[in-house]
């Protein structure tokens, strides 16, 4: 069992950092007020308004900002406020023993997938795949907001078709640790020390703006690297296509073609990722995926 970070209490302070692309502070907008609605205080990291070309500050600045939030005794959670690109440049410089010694809630998605998989593996810590505070679509929808409550008390999440229509890609049921996230970021670390460990785990996949050919290419890389073979099951989340040429159903046909030979339980249609709502979930906890009943039961991420 991985370490579950301590739950938040009303009045706690969360640290806001940006380890990826530059952020326009105005894009946070009402999201800061939402933190106050949750009863939280916040501390802005130096990277929230930093620029270094296409990055939110230099590699050294982003590492220092993140480490500072981890060791700050006042900060009880670290929210990454923007995705894009940049975390992969610093994953080999982050101190995972430091994170393991000061376990805190780490929240974000998209580019943050790279951080999630490393913290889960090298710091033995549960993290949270959830919506960024800099979402370009304005205020978070009500269901996405509701998912923040899992940070205040241990809640077992039951994902059923009451949230979104689901499709059984491969039948069966399986229990295992949930890992994964953004397909592009998962594939980008293959062949390195930091490639994702999927052995006997349930792999979550989502992405944004990739063409169907690129999705095919990345799935093939997962096949060739034996990640599809070694995983125990698959949670297929949102794939937001760049245009109307291909649909989500077209993507599912490609995914099914890659997964069928391995006959591992797989369900598609989860509203997790670059979509609304964006259902926040813990990574590194055990889940039960029942492809016959089309349900995903997720153990709590905090203690």
């Amino acid at each position: 069992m991985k370490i579950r970070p301590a739950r938040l209490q009303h009045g706690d302070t969360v640290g806001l950092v940006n380890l990826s692309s530059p952020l326009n502070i105005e894009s946070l907008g009402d999201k800061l007020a939402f933190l106050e609605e949750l009863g939280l205080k916040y501390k802005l990291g130096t990277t929230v308004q930093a620029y270094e070309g296409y990055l939110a500050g230099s590699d050294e600045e982003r590492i220092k900002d993140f480490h500072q939030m981890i060791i700050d005794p006042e900060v009880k959670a670290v929210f990454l406020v923007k995705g894009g690109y940049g975390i992969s440049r610093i994953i080999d410089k982050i101190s995972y023993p430091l994170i393991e010694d000061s376990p805190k809630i780490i929240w974000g998605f998209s580019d943050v997938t790279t951080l999630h998989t490393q913290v889960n593996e090298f710091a033995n810590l549960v993290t949270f795949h959830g919506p960024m505070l800099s979402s370009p679509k304005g205020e978070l929808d009500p269901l996405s907001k509701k998912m923040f409550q899992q940070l205040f008390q241990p809640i077992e999440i039951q994902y059923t078709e009451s949230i979104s229509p689901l499709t059984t890609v491969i039948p069966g049921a399986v229990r295992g640790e949930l890992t994964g996230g953004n397909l592009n970021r998962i594939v980008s670390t293959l062949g390195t020390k930091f490639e994702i460990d999927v052995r006997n785990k349930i792999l979550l996949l989502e992405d944004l703006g990739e063409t169907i050919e690129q999705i095919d290419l990345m799935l093939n890389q997962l096949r060739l690297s034996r990640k599809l073979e070694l995983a125990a099951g698959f949670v297929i989340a949102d794939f937001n296509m760049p245009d109307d040429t291909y649909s989500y159903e077209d993507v599912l046909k490609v995914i099914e073609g890659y997964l069928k030979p391995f006959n591992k339980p797989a369900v598609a249609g989860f509203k997790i990722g670059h979509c609304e709502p964006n259902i926040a979930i813990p990574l590194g906890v055990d889940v039960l995926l029942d492809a016959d009943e089309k349900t995903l039961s997720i153990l709590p991420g905090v203690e």
Side-chain angles (χ1 to χ4, degrees):
M1 294 289 292
K2 286 184 167 40
I3 300 167
R4 291 186 297 165
R7 71 188 75 176
L8 293 178
Q9 307 286 340
H10 290 283
D12 280 348
T13 297
V14 298
L16 307 183
V17 299
N18 185 10
L19 305 186
S20 302
S21 303
L23 170 72
N24 180 347
I25 189 67
E26 294 179 357
S27 67
L28 291 179
D30 295 336
K31 312 299 193 333
L32 297 180
F34 169 60
L35 292 180
E36 294 173 349
E37 289 175 22
L38 292 173
L40 298 172
K41 302 172 185 177
Y42 58 86
K43 181 178 291 189
L44 296 179
T46 58
T47 53
V48 171
Q49 299 188 69
Y51 283 82
E52 182 80 17
Y54 50 87
L55 299 170
S58 67
D59 292 348
E60 291 72 22
E61 288 173 322
R62 285 177 289 125
I63 295 165
K64 182 179 179 180
D65 200 21
F66 181 64
H67 284 166
Q68 183 58 44
M69 291 298 184
I70 294 296
I71 65 175
D72 188 334
E74 185 181 14
V75 172
K76 305 303 181 184
V78 182
F79 286 5
L80 282 78
V81 296
K82 192 174 186 296
Y85 170 76
I87 292 180
S88 61
R89 291 173 56 99
I90 62 174
I91 57 172
D92 58 331
K93 302 177 181 70
I94 289 174
S95 174
Y96 299 101
L98 185 71
I99 298 171
E100 188 170 8
D101 289 341
S102 300
K104 297 179 179 182
I105 291 165
I106 296 175
W107 178 285
F109 83 111
S110 193
D111 194 42
V112 186
T113 292
T114 310
L115 181 64
H116 285 314
T117 55
Q118 308 316 313
V119 172
N120 291 164
E121 180 71 16
F122 296 114
N124 197 38
L125 178 65
V126 171
T127 59
F128 291 84
H129 187 284
M132 303 289 198
L133 296 180
S134 63
S135 171
K137 297 185 178 180
E139 187 177 359
L140 294 171
D141 70 273
L143 188 50
S144 296
K145 285 184 174 182
K146 185 178 180 180
M147 300 308 297
F148 282 81
Q149 294 302 319
Q150 67 185 287
L151 302 182
F152 293 87
Q153 57 183 321
I155 298 173
E156 184 172 322
I157 298 171
Q158 297 287 342
Y159 198 122
T160 69
E161 288 195 287
S162 64
I163 299 175
S164 65
L166 299 173
T167 301
T168 298
V169 179
I170 300 172
V174 63
R175 177 169 179 157
E177 182 182 308
L178 185 63
T179 189
N182 185 263
L183 175 60
N184 182 292
R185 295 303 183 255
I186 291 170
V187 169
S188 70
T189 58
L190 294 180
T192 74
K193 171 187 174 181
F194 301 97
E195 71 177 25
I196 191 170
D197 179 8
V198 301
R199 288 171 295 180
N200 302 315
K201 298 179 183 180
I202 296 173
L203 180 60
L204 165 69
L205 297 174
E206 69 86 34
D207 218 319
L208 167 73
E210 302 285 3
T211 65
I212 200 164
E213 293 88 356
Q214 289 169 322
I215 293 170
D216 187 304
L217 175 65
M218 290 186 286
L219 289 170
N220 192 48
Q221 286 182 273
L222 290 181
R223 178 185 69 86
L224 293 173
S225 61
R226 299 186 63 209
K227 299 303 180 183
L228 301 182
E229 173 188 345
L230 294 172
F234 302 92
V235 171
I236 309 303
D238 199 73
F239 277 79
N240 206 317
M241 304 301 289
D243 54 45
D244 297 328
T245 306
Y246 294 98
S247 66
Y248 183 72
E249 289 69 28
D250 294 322
V251 174
L252 283 189
K253 290 179 183 178
V254 175
I255 294 173
E256 182 177 4
Y258 277 101
L259 299 188
K260 278 285 189 183
F262 304 106
N263 198 33
K264 308 286 182 69
V267 179
F270 293 94
K271 301 298 285 185
I272 300 171
H274 296 81
C275 53
E276 291 185 5
N278 181 356
I279 304 299
I281 56 171
L283 296 172
V285 300
D286 271 9
V287 305
L288 175 62
L289 176 66
D290 190 327
D292 300 320
E293 297 295 327
K294 293 188 284 190
T295 60
L296 178 65
S297 303
I298 308 172
L299 289 179
V302 297
E303 63 175 7

